[in-house]
Amino acid sequence: MNASMPAAAELAATDPDYVESLDRGLCVLRAFSEHEEALSVTDVASLVGITRTAARRFALTLEYLGYASQSAEGYRLTPGVLEIGDAYLRSNPLPDAAHPHLDELVRAVGETASLTVLHKRRVYYAGRVAADRIVTANITVGTSVAAYKTATGRILLGDLTPDELEDYLSSIEPAPGFDPNYVRERIEEARRRGWTVADQELTPGIRSVAVPLHDPAGRIVAALNIAAHASRVDAQVLENDFVPLLQSAAQRTAAALWPAAGTAPTRPVLTPADANRPKMRPSDVIQSVERGLSILTAFDEGHPAMNLAQISERCGLPRSAARRFVLTLASLGYLAPQGRSYAPTPLVLELGYSLLSRLSLADVAKPRLEALARKLGASVSIGVLDGMDLRYVARASAPSPLTVNIRPGTRVPAERTAMGQVLLSLLPPAALEDAARSAGRDSTADGLADLQITLAAVREQGWGYVDQLLEAGIRAVAVPLRNRRGEVVAAMSASVHEASTPNRDMTENFLPALRNAAEEFVMDLRDGLDA
């Protein structure tokens, strides 16, 4: 980690606009990102090459910003840090444009599909739809790998000029298994064929095939790939079956991004969740880190690239200060110039987005559920469909003399719960019939007809309500939870004992509160979260 410090010291000595404390703060954040265990102040100081006093101030700054928390073991990142990586994903239209086509690929072949981009010497996974497999590559959105080892990397490196490619190959430190001639041949082969395969080169047992995504000028801006375990898919299947599907997906993604006529589909501009910061600003907070990170998180769907005047206005910074922070972030590779404007680069994903692989939906949902439970004086839950069952994945309860014996992991018949009815109402009729039959539910014509009538009403109103259907004395109201693409990924409910809450309160008070909370959850429901 501290290998970067000499370069930082050189910049600080030669460039008066360089903000050294911002660079060091970002190094601290990356140190937390690279370690799953909690880090003490001494650990941070050693990893980054700074004093314990400085390490403590940087850690306190991240805690104030809502990106880290402190416990007896030390400091560790919190889910709030994901908003930094979100700025890149939200400001870049590629992931959203590719997602439906990646999803279609996964449903067609039953293997994982990804979208990758190139930055400097590494490939970054900017979009990914994982197949429901027991064994798959341990890669999530935000993961970066050496470009020369991967099929997508060889596709992306194919857009370099011969001189740029030679500079890239000569910059790679010699290592076992690295042969520049072999890499050069594979890149040229990928250029010639328009696709390429990597057979168990990055991860033993995993084969991958990739194709390019071209912009209207013919430049390669991304690569799409399918990865599968070698025991399931041989090289011929990759070439004969997967390549045409990938090429079609790339063409449709490009058409969505750059339509031949008209304009590209608009993307809804969402407000990121406010960081959980104390009201009083501690005196030890390092302002340069706070300001630099506020610039990175200012980019979104409505502001994919901004010039200095726009950044200054949006972040509430003096123009001269915004200029110094932007130039520092650009020199470190986190921002890239686009004419007179700047846009986030994939390197931003390294600032905490690795946490995504260690989080579950329950981890991210916990603070919001606890706050909502206290507000309503109720039990608040999140659930997902598992066949014809509703599986609880997160739950929080307000203090009460009565206890509902439901914990995360509990499964109950979906049709008897408000959340289950919300989720079942979104299934196509044939899928509902298949699920009911597989689960041994009442699949007779009369039984399904009664259920379909109930679900049609739920679908029409957009929420579900059950009164003592699952358990005597329990009322619950539920709404769907959607991600920022509008896809329903779970449901959320509030439940109370019927004696404690009048029936009308469930729809007049609880339902609006649930809907408001569901809107706040939109930014939390990221790709890659495991229920």
Side-chain angles (χ1 to χ4, degrees), residues 171-470:
S171 71
I172 299 174
E173 296 183 5
F178 172 64
D179 179 354
N181 291 325
Y182 173 79
V183 175
R184 192 182 295 109
E185 290 172 2
R186 297 287 76 76
I187 293 171
E188 180 54 41
E189 180 183 69
R191 278 198 192 112
R192 186 175 64 254
R193 297 194 302 188
W195 59 272
T196 192
V197 169
D199 193 347
Q200 307 181 70
E201 295 177 53
L202 175 65
T203 305
I206 298 295
R207 291 188 173 119
S208 176
V209 60
V211 304
L213 175 66
H214 294 95
D215 68 9
R219 294 183 294 261
I220 299 174
V221 296
L224 274 65
N225 88 308
I226 297 173
H229 197 274
S231 64
R232 296 194 298 264
V233 176
D234 61 28
Q236 286 300 111
V237 171
L238 294 180
E239 178 178 350
N240 297 335
D241 298 345
F242 290 4
V243 167
L245 293 173
L246 279 167
Q247 290 172 333
S248 175
Q251 291 168 0
R252 285 178 283 128
T253 300
L257 286 165
W258 305 288
T263 58
T266 58
R267 305 166 70 207
V269 178
L270 304 172
T271 302
D274 292 332
N276 184 22
R277 303 175 190 172
K279 294 180 180 179
M280 295 298 294
R281 186 178 185 276
S283 59
D284 284 337
V285 166
I286 300 174
Q287 187 182 60
S288 60
V289 176
E290 182 181 5
R291 288 181 165 184
L293 291 176
S294 76
I295 289 174
L296 288 181
T297 55
F299 294 88
D300 59 21
E301 299 91 336
H303 306 83
M306 292 187 284
N307 59 33
L308 287 175
Q310 292 168 322
I311 291 172
S312 173
E313 179 181 2
R314 186 160 168 78
C315 298
L317 297 174
R319 177 76 176 267
S320 59
R323 177 178 177 276
R324 291 188 64 209
F325 291 119
V326 166
L327 292 178
T328 300
L329 290 168
S331 70
L332 294 172
Y334 295 105
L335 294 179
Q338 294 184 358
R340 298 175 64 86
S341 297
Y342 293 84
T345 73
L347 191 62
V348 171
L349 294 171
E350 294 188 356
L351 298 175
Y353 223 76
S354 60
L355 184 66
L356 187 66
S357 64
R358 310 197 291 270
L359 290 176
S360 67
L361 176 57
D363 295 324
V364 174
K366 182 180 178 181
R368 293 194 190 278
L369 288 186
E370 290 177 344
L372 186 58
R374 289 193 300 271
K375 176 182 177 180
L376 296 177
S379 294
V380 183
S381 306
I382 290 178
V384 297
L385 271 187
D386 192 349
M388 280 293 288
D389 287 340
L390 187 283
R391 177 164 57 87
Y392 287 78
V393 298
R395 185 170 174 83
S397 297
S400 170
L402 297 175
T403 299
V404 178
N405 191 26
I406 291 179
R407 296 177 175 82
T410 299
R411 292 159 58 111
V412 296
E415 66 272 20
R416 300 181 67 82
T417 69
M419 287 192 291
Q421 289 185 4
V422 165
L423 296 172
L424 288 173
S425 74
L426 301 174
L427 293 180
L432 179 64
E433 291 178 19
D434 290 343
R437 190 175 298 109
S438 298
R441 299 287 204 274
D442 184 358
S443 57
T444 63
D446 289 342
L448 281 175
D450 291 342
L451 180 57
Q452 289 280 20
I453 291 172
T454 299
L455 298 181
V458 171
R459 184 166 54 250
E460 176 73 19
Q461 65 192 14
W463 51 274
Y465 175 59
V466 299
D467 189 353
Q468 308 183 71
L469 185 59
L470 178 64

Side-chain angles (χ1 to χ4, degrees), residues 125-136:
Y125 286 79
R128 187 167 172 85
V129 176
D132 186 14
R133 295 285 190 178
I134 295 175
V135 178
T136 187

